[in-house]
Each structure stands twice: as C-alpha cells, then as structure tokens.
C-alpha cells in the first residue's frame, strides 16, 4: 500500500469513527392484524430499548416506530394506547394494507428524519431482539448496513423450509445478490437510508435491492423463535407475490432464458423436420400420433409460459410508469421525550 493509499484509508476510518457516536436508534415494526401479540411486543421491545439506553449503547431520543399496515382488528387502537402511555412509542398508520415491504419502507423513510440508525424487525417477536447489541457493535465498527441472518429454520414447517431453500437457490441462479436466510431484520444507517430514498421503484424487494447499493455491510446471526401469538400474516398469495416481485424486480434473466429456450425449441424442430423428411423419402409411414401430440403440447406449454413471464414484466413496467406513491400515511403519532421522565428512569 502506498503512503497516499494509507492516508486515504486512514481518512475514511477517521471520519467513520468520528461520526460513530452513540446512535439514536429507531426500531421500525410493521404490524398487520397483530392484536394478539402487539402489547407483549411493545413491552419486550420497549424493555430492551430502555436497557440499551441505560448502558449507553443507544442515545436518548431513541424510539420504537410501529407501522400499522391497514390492520382490520384492534391493533391500531392498542398501538395508540401504548403511544399515549409512553413517548418511546411512535405510530404511523397507513391508509390501507400496502404489504410488509411498503410498510417497512414507510417506517424507514419517516424514521430517518430523526434517527442515526434504523432497525426493522417483525412484530411477532420471532426475531431475537438480543441480537440488537451485535447490530450496534457492527455499526460502531463502520458498517452502514447490517443483515440479520437466521441461524436455522427449525421453527419453520417443512413446506416453508423447502420452498425457502428452493427460492434462494433460484434467486442466486438468476443473478440476484439476496442474502440467504435474511428476512427484513436489518440495520441501516441514515446514510444508507438516504441512498435508499433515491430508489423510486414501485416493485419493492428490499432484500434484493439493498445488497446492490454496495455500502460496507456485515452479517449478524440470530435464533428464530416460534411466533409469540397469532398466526403468520404472510398468506400463500402474499408470499407468491413477494417471490415473483423478488425475481422480476431484480433480474431480467428469465427473459434471456426464454430466448434461449426458444432457440433450442427451434433447433429441435429443425432436427425433427429433417428426420421426418428422411422417413418420408424412405417411404416409411410414420404412425406419428404420439410424437405430434407431444411436440405440439410441449411447444404450446413453452409458448404460454414464455408469454406469462413476458406479461409479468410488462405488468411491472405498467405499474412503474404510473409513479404511484408506494404508501400513504393516514395518521402519525410522535411525541418528544419527557426530559423529567427520562432523568427519573436513569
Ligand atoms: N405484515 C405487514 N403487512 C402485511 C403482512 C405482514 O405489515 O401485509 C407484517 C406482520 O405484522 C409482521 C411482519 O410483517 O410484523 C412479518 O409477517 P409474519 O410474521 O406474518 O410473516 P412470517 O414471519 O410468517 O413470514
Ligand atoms: Mg413472523
């Protein structure tokens, strides 16, 4: 390394350590019909935040920002009650159900106006909140993005486990840089969030998008527990939509594969044609019914599938050209911390 290079590395490190003071941390928690678990979540997450504040790992003014994603049960009422009791809790309520990805985006984009770092975590306490210390360590050491990666999938059913493995393999095959077994338990610095705000796409797949931004990043492993209460809000159709968005928003490789498949089918047809012509010239009477049926069904299937894939992309282009807002905030509750109360707790 030359002297100049050493200096420049030193320069970056200095500026990094310089700004890595105890951060104001915001936890962003998306909630969709979570009435069974939300009070316990608020309690557990609130306690953890207080402990972190007490030992000086996070700065005063750190908060938990719940994002109500158009819940139809009493989630919003419970969240407002929590926010009325404690200024630690802030509540964004979206005008409707925009889906998990948009809900965390709404939370992150709002939280970055107040926070140095934002951590997104699910409302069901499945993700181990104790990993938060490691997230902060990693941020202090210079990471702009820290990905929470689950240790194993023993709490998942066989279907979810199998489909997840298949999906991650497929995503990597298609050239996406999505991190295996990383859901949306993630820390992002304000710098990374500001960069993320520049991405205007409607088809949001944060897990695939964020690794492409290229900031210094790190991985923290955590244990997954069973859901504390309630049932998964990711229905099969929501999961399929996320999976399709993941593929079509990150890669155009399926379109290339269609072209290659088309070429292979054409080649195959040419070979078949030659064989048939030779047979015809020899005077062989080809019974041929099975072959004809197989070939036409195969080609029909491939054509339909290809059209479907192209249609998916056209649908995405259609949605992108509308430039619709990705979420609409209906109400927002945020209160300044009461200094007297904070001192009392300390
Ligand atoms: N969620 C959301 N909007 C939705 C579906 C889910 O905000 O349309 C939230 C949900 O409340 C939870 C998180 O996203 O906090 C993850 O959902 P869930 O735990 O149901 O998914 P799973 O862990 O089963 O994949
Ligand atoms: Mg969950």
């Amino acid at each position: 390394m030359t002297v100049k290079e050493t200096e420049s590395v030193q320069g970056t490190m200095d500026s990094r350590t310089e700004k890595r003071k105890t951060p104001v941390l915001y936890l962003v928690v998306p909630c969709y019909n979570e009435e069974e678990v939300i009070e316990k979540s608020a309690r557990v997450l609130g306690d953890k935040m207080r402990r972190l504040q007490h030992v000086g790992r996070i700065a005063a003014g750190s908060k938990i920002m719940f994002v109500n994603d158009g819940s139809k049960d009493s989630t919003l009422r419970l969240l407002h009650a929590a926010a009325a009791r404690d200024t630690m809790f802030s509540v964004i309520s979206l005008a409707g159900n925009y889906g998990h990805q948009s809900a965390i985006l709404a939370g992150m984009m709002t939280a970055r106006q107040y926070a140095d770092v934002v951590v997104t975590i699910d409302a069901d306490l499945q993700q181990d909140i104790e990993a938060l210390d490691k997230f902060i360590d990693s941020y202090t050491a210079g990471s702009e993005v820290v990905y929470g990666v689950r240790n194993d999938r023993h709490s998942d059913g066989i279907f979810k486990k199998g489909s997840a493995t298949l999906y991650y393999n497929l995503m990597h095959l298609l050239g996406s840089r999505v991190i295996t077994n990383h859901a949306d338990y993630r820390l992002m610095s304000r710098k990374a969030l500001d960069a993320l705000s520049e991405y205007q796409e409607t088809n949001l797949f944060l897990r695939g998008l964020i690794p492409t931004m290229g900031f210094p990043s790190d991985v923290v492993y955590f244990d997954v527990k069973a859901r504390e209460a309630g049932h998964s809000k990711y229905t099969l159709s929501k999961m399929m939509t996320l999976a399709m968005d993941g593929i079509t928003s990150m890669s155009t490789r399926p379109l290339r594969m269609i072209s290659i498949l088309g070429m292979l089918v054409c080649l195959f047809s040419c070979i078949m044609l030659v064989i048939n012509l030779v047979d015809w010239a020899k005077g062989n009477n080809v019974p041929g019914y099975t072959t004809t049926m197989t070939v036409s069904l195969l080609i029909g299937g491939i054509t339909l599938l290809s059209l479907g894939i192209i249609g998916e992309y056209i649908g995405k282009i259609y949605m992108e050209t509308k430039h619709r807002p990705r979420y609409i905030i209906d109400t927002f509750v945020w209160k300044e911390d009461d200094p007297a109360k904070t001192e009392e707790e300390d």
Side-chain angles (χ1 to χ4, degrees), residues 109 112 189-199 213 215:
M109 290 301 118
R112 82 188 160 106
S189 67
R190 189 190 297 156
K191 193 203 245 180
L193 289 169
D194 288 345
L196 181 66
S197 72
E198 303 283 323
Y199 289 73
M213 298 198 318
F215 283 114

Side-chain angles (χ1 to χ4, degrees), residues 122 124 126 227:
D122 289 351
D124 54 12
Q126 279 194 284
R227 217 173 207 281

Side-chain angles (χ1 to χ4, degrees), residues 13 16 89 102 109 131 139 180 246 253 257 306 326 338:
M13 285 311 283
R16 236 171 232 161
F89 303 122
S102 300
M109 290 301 118
Y139 165 77
T180 307
R253 220 176 268 187
M257 281 156 75
S306 310
R326 291 172 291 183
D338 180 0

Side-chain angles (χ1 to χ4, degrees), residues 30-32 34 69 97 99-100 103 122-124 126 160 227 231-234 238:
C31 312
Y32 176 59
E34 298 285 7
D69 185 22
N97 180 233
H100 176 228
D122 289 351
D124 54 12
Q126 279 194 284
K160 198 151 188 174
R227 217 173 207 281
H231 54 85
S232 175
K233 304 301 175 308
Y234 256 101
K238 275 192 177 168

